Amino acid sequence: MKLYIVGIGPGEATQMTQRAQAALERSELIVGYTAYVDLVRPLFPGKSFLTTSMRGEVERCRLAVEQALTGRTVSLVCSGDAGVYGMASPALEAAEAYPQLDIEVVPGVTAACSGAALLGAPLSHDFAVISLSDLLTPWPLIEKRLACAAEADFVLCLYNPSSKKRADYLRRACEIVRRFRQAETPAGVVREIGRAGESHALMTLEELQEYRADMFTTVFIGNSQTKILNGRLVTPRGYRT
């Protein structure tokens, strides 16, 4: 009885870790959100697949656990890293009553890292990753976290910055950050990381406030030391040069 909880990174084969590839290769069954399973399906022909729709996270985890308990080797996949806004936590909760189940969490490349690499080196000093989705976290708590992190001069990486129901959340987040940072603070956005249509752009915090983001966008806001060097977003480590 084996369950792998696998972060597949952005989804492109070259950005998936060898450990993740090995876990999927060893698995008889791959379980996940339809869009993520479709990313790996062509890479592992002959495997069995089970999928659930968006917001089916709890069902997905229970399904993976149940299948593993039958004696099959199962991989539960998610994009990015399994432990960063991924499936590791709910899957471990779903398996709480089954200590006999062998579970292995397989890390992947999260959007904070892959997106930062496209922009340059914005996360080279202390940073905070905050999701703007209020589906599971109340907005007042998100506001508090944004304000505290901005006041502490963390570089900010924002996940889930906007959606059809949350069209103004990025603007509201920028308004909070601007209480503590200058309008010209360097910022950047990355879309569709590691997938068709991948793009990235640099801008100021003031410009970011009017940017139309979506759920495929990852946002980076520099701290007081962040700058743009030769077209790249860079937060210095502080070494003397």
Side-chain angles (χ1 to χ4, degrees), residues 59-71:
E59 175 192 356
R60 201 176 307 149
C61 292
R62 288 175 179 167
L63 181 62
V65 169
E66 289 169 359
Q67 290 295 318
L69 287 170
T70 67

Side-chain angles (χ1 to χ4, degrees), residues 121-130 149-150 152-158 181 186 219-226 233-236:
L123 305 183
S124 292
H125 214 300
D126 298 338
F127 64 94
V129 179
I130 299 174
D153 203 30
F154 283 104
V155 174
L156 299 177
C157 177
L158 305 182
R181 301 199 184 163
V219 175
F220 296 81
I221 302 175
N223 67 8
S224 62
Q225 304 301 311
T226 304
L233 193 62
V234 178
T235 303

Side-chain angles (χ1 to χ4, degrees), residues 190-223:
V190 181
R191 291 193 72 255
E192 298 283 7
I193 301 170
R195 301 172 190 170
E198 177 184 271
S199 64
H200 61 278
L202 300 179
M203 61 193 70
T204 65
L205 177 55
E206 183 177 32
E207 292 168 333
L208 179 64
Q209 192 165 329
E210 304 303 322
Y211 180 80
R212 304 184 85 176
D214 58 24
M215 289 293 287
F216 301 102
T217 307
T218 306
V219 175
F220 296 81
I221 302 175
N223 67 8

Side-chain angles (χ1 to χ4, degrees), residues 85-147:
Y85 302 114
M87 288 292 98
S89 175
L92 290 170
E93 290 179 301
E96 182 180 8
Y98 309 102
Q100 72 274 25
L101 181 58
D102 183 11
I103 300 176
E104 182 177 334
V105 179
V106 181
V109 181
T110 187
C113 297
S114 53
L118 287 169
L119 292 173
L123 305 183
S124 292
H125 214 300
D126 298 338
F127 64 94
V129 179
I130 299 174
S131 171
L132 298 191
S133 173
D134 60 356
L135 183 62
L136 300 175
T137 305
W139 178 252
L141 180 56
I142 295 173
E143 286 185 320
K144 182 178 181 180
R145 289 173 175 171
L146 284 166

